[in-house]
Amino acid sequence: MKLTIIGTGYVGLVTGTCFAEVGHQVICVDKDTAKVKLLQARGMPIYEPGLEELVQRNVAAGRLSFTNSTAEGVVKSDIIFIAVPTPPQPDGSVDLSFMEGVSREIAQNMTGYKIVVDKSTVPVKTGDKVAETIKRYCKARVDFDVVSNPEFLREGFAVDDFMKPDRVVIGVRSPRPVQAMKQAYEPFQAPVIVTDINSAELIKHAANSFLALKISYINAISVICEATGANVNEVANGIGLDTRIGRRFLDAGLGFGGSCFPKDLSAFIKISEQLGYDFRLLKEVQRINAEQMDRFIKKIEETLWVLKDKNIGVLGLAFKQNTDDVRLSPAIELCERLQREGAQLRVHDPRAMSKAKAILRDVTYVDDMNDVAQGCDALVIATEWPEFKKLDLERVRKELTHPIMFDGRNLFDPQEMETLGFIYKSIGR
Ligand code: UGA
């Protein structure tokens, strides 16, 4: 099939590449000339495990191409996926101007029947607006269908999540586009759910909010664990084995960040408010998330007392493992708060240092994770990178002026750390 993806961010680039990998003919469109040039020259704008190899293979096979021209993408394909950013606004609502702009451009370039698919995360009822916009700006008065097809991939696991989805959601206003949509996804052999557009849009916000709720729930439990001497990992394992609950997304830590959960929660609360419902449950999820960071900083202050002129090592800058994405990263927030209290930081991240340099200044970036602790009063773990578990703990202990570690991601065993001579403070244990 001939498919066009408009927007080459995390979702768009992974979607286009994976569709090409299963044999479709894919055009990826982006307005950012520098990004298109980079991709045409086989460079990568983001780090995502396995993606670079897939892009190279599919470009070489002639199944994947990149262009600046929306017109080209619209004319040459049967299905047009919109995967543009939907950034947050100060009041929590979503800025849909990219969606609107792309809908108009698609309309102006349509010469025959097209299926226009919204893959960006949007508030419920956006599909109606996209359809209205296309109808208004379509010069040729040709037929089209709007489909909502939310994406559930996680950064850091994006290729795997896309190639082996738990489900594919197809939201439609009429049965006409269903067959073509099913055909596009047929190679992935996943359960397909066909719904109306509003339900499909709601499925995305409801899924992300529920996952955020799970994280805040276990973070709240971690507070009770600390007050009682219980262990949050054991509680998570104990409840997670109940298949009605499930163990995933029950890792206590510094709270969730990134470009999805915080934004989607705010957007879902806002749209609910506009629809006449005060979604207090989700406001509480946000509050617990913010408090989790406050509590961790307090833990550092209680141990180190005054932070001014203390040297602190920080491992992890990305918002989670396996990515170079630092947008709304709890690790960056932590660094900035420690800096505001006058601490001097030595930091390391396996992948995110170059992106972090644009937003986190006046820190020492250290190339080797085992060198970060050098001369520091304490070491902090801020991101759940699996490589940090291979830290040379013996050396780290000797490098620290005081053997203190604050583990915001529960990577180590408290008893083993104590045996190794660390003063070790983690979350809910
Ligand atoms: C999230 C969803 O998981 C995807 O399904 C969705 O497609 C995506 O948003 C999106 O809307 O585009 P993502 O933001 O890439 O994916 O990352 P997650 O793996 O969900 O992690 C989000 C945050 O939660 C991270 O800061 C992570 O450290 C934190 N987290 C995750 C925890 O604190 N504990 C956990 O148990 C799991």
Side-chain angles (χ1 to χ4, degrees):
M1 295 178 91
K2 290 181 180 155
L3 311 177
T4 285
I5 321 292
I6 301 182
T8 54
Y10 280 92
V11 170
L13 186 56
V14 172
T15 301
T17 308
C18 292
F19 271 140
E21 176 69 10
V22 296
H24 297 309
Q25 198 64 37
V26 179
I27 301 173
C28 285
V29 180
D30 205 294
K31 283 279 164 230
D32 182 338
T33 317
K35 202 194 241 187
V36 169
K37 280 198 178 134
L38 178 72
L39 285 159
Q40 284 170 338
R42 316 267 171 107
M44 289 296 286
I46 50 168
Y47 169 71
E48 184 59 46
L51 186 60
E52 185 170 6
E53 193 193 322
L54 240 59
V55 170
Q56 308 236 341
R57 182 158 69 227
N58 286 285
V59 170
R63 285 188 300 263
L64 179 63
S65 63
F66 300 97
T67 177
N68 266 141
S69 163
T70 308
E72 182 192 338
V74 174
V75 171
K76 289 189 176 164
S77 290
D78 313 311
I79 309 184
I80 325 290
F81 290 83
I82 305 177
V84 294
T86 49
Q89 307 201 91
D91 70 349
S93 66
V94 177
D95 175 358
L96 292 168
S97 54
F98 294 117
M99 284 296 296
E100 198 264 350
V102 166
S103 306
R104 251 187 300 142
E105 271 191 88
I106 292 173
Q108 284 155 355
N109 289 291
M110 277 188 343
T111 48
Y113 174 74
K114 302 285 170 190
I115 299 173
V116 180
V117 184
D118 174 24
K119 222 179 209 326
S120 302
T121 301
V122 293
V124 60
K125 289 181 164 299
T126 301
D128 292 346
K129 291 283 177 205
V130 170
E132 259 173 48
T133 306
I134 295 179
K135 203 166 171 196
R136 191 171 306 140
Y137 289 92
C138 178
K139 289 181 272 184
R141 302 271 160 234
V142 290
D143 250 8
F144 69 92
D145 273 299
V146 169
V147 172
S148 166
N149 171 222
E151 183 46 58
F152 303 104
L153 60 82
R154 292 161 301 162
E155 288 180 23
F157 304 91
V159 171
D160 236 36
D161 284 351
F162 197 93
M163 297 303 275
K164 290 176 240 149
D166 288 343
R167 78 299 206 187
V168 171
V169 175
I170 298 173
V172 291
R173 303 205 306 176
S174 81
R176 187 172 175 188
V178 172
Q179 187 50 32
M181 287 300 294
K182 282 188 172 169
Q183 203 184 328
Y185 278 101
E186 203 270 328
F188 303 101
Q189 297 183 336
V192 174
I193 301 169
V194 179
T195 69
D196 61 278
I197 294 195
N198 287 345
S199 302
E201 288 169 339
L202 269 176
I203 285 170
K204 174 67 191 206
H205 264 165
N208 271 8
S209 301
F210 190 79
L211 292 167
L213 182 147
K214 269 187 105 172
I215 298 168
S216 276
Y217 182 75
I218 202 67
N219 281 335
I221 298 282
S222 79
V223 180
I224 308 298
C225 287
E226 285 182 17
T228 54
N231 180 326
V232 75
N233 284 9
E234 285 170 12
V235 176
N237 291 340
I239 62 174
L241 278 171
D242 183 329
T243 50
R244 293 170 302 172
I245 297 173
R247 176 62 181 83
R248 296 173 76 192
F249 280 70
L250 284 180
D251 290 320
L254 289 181
F256 55 80
S259 64
C260 302
F261 286 173
K263 177 194 81 171
D264 292 351
L265 271 179
S266 300
F268 201 17
I269 291 169
K270 193 74 196 171
I271 187 80
S272 303
E273 185 188 301
Q274 286 160 1
L275 294 166
Y277 181 64
D278 180 8
F279 217 142
R280 279 172 299 186
L281 177 66
L282 296 185
K283 289 179 182 169
E284 190 59 20
V285 169
Q286 290 180 316
R287 196 184 61 78
I288 294 170
N289 200 51
E291 273 186 11
Q292 198 66 2
M293 179 65 77
D294 296 344
R295 205 171 283 111
F296 191 69
I297 303 263
K298 201 163 155 226
K299 210 176 267 183
I300 297 176
E301 288 167 342
E302 274 167 9
T303 311
L304 299 183
W305 194 18
V306 175
L307 297 188
K308 191 169 180 309
D309 295 329
K310 291 268 160 53
N311 295 314
I312 299 179
V314 179
L315 285 173
L317 298 168
F319 84 98
K320 59 181 273 193
Q321 61 182 302
N322 289 344
T323 181
D324 63 351
D325 196 347
V326 291
R327 288 175 294 171
L328 287 190
S329 169
I332 299 279
E333 185 193 335
L334 175 83
C335 289
E336 288 171 344
R337 288 180 65 165
L338 295 175
Q339 272 185 320
R340 278 205 291 278
E341 297 207 32
Q344 312 291 324
L345 305 183
R346 289 171 60 78
V347 303
H348 169 83
D349 188 282
R351 290 281 175 178
M353 292 212 282
S354 73
K355 287 199 173 152
K357 278 175 190 166
I359 50 173
L360 184 64
R361 302 213 169 77
D362 302 321
V363 301
T364 306
Y365 285 92
V366 182
D367 286 332
D368 183 338
M369 66 175 179
N370 286 305
D371 289 340
V372 171
Q374 236 170 58
C376 285
D377 297 279
L379 184 67
V380 177
I381 306 227
T383 308
E384 63 273 36
W385 279 97
E387 1 322 48
F388 295 159
K389 288 186 184 160
K390 295 184 197 125
L391 211 57
D392 182 346
L393 291 169
E394 198 63 47
R395 177 169 154 201
V396 165
R397 189 176 47 80
K398 286 186 196 137
E399 303 265 29
L400 286 166
T401 55
H402 307 282
I404 304 172
M405 188 191 283
F406 300 97
D407 183 355
R409 297 291 176 184
N410 286 355
L411 293 189
F412 298 104
D413 180 74
Q415 249 148 31
E416 281 172 25
M417 292 303 280
E418 264 171 44
T419 312
L420 282 168
F422 280 94
I423 297 166
Y424 175 77
K425 311 222 167 180
S426 55
I427 308 275
R429 306 184 300 170

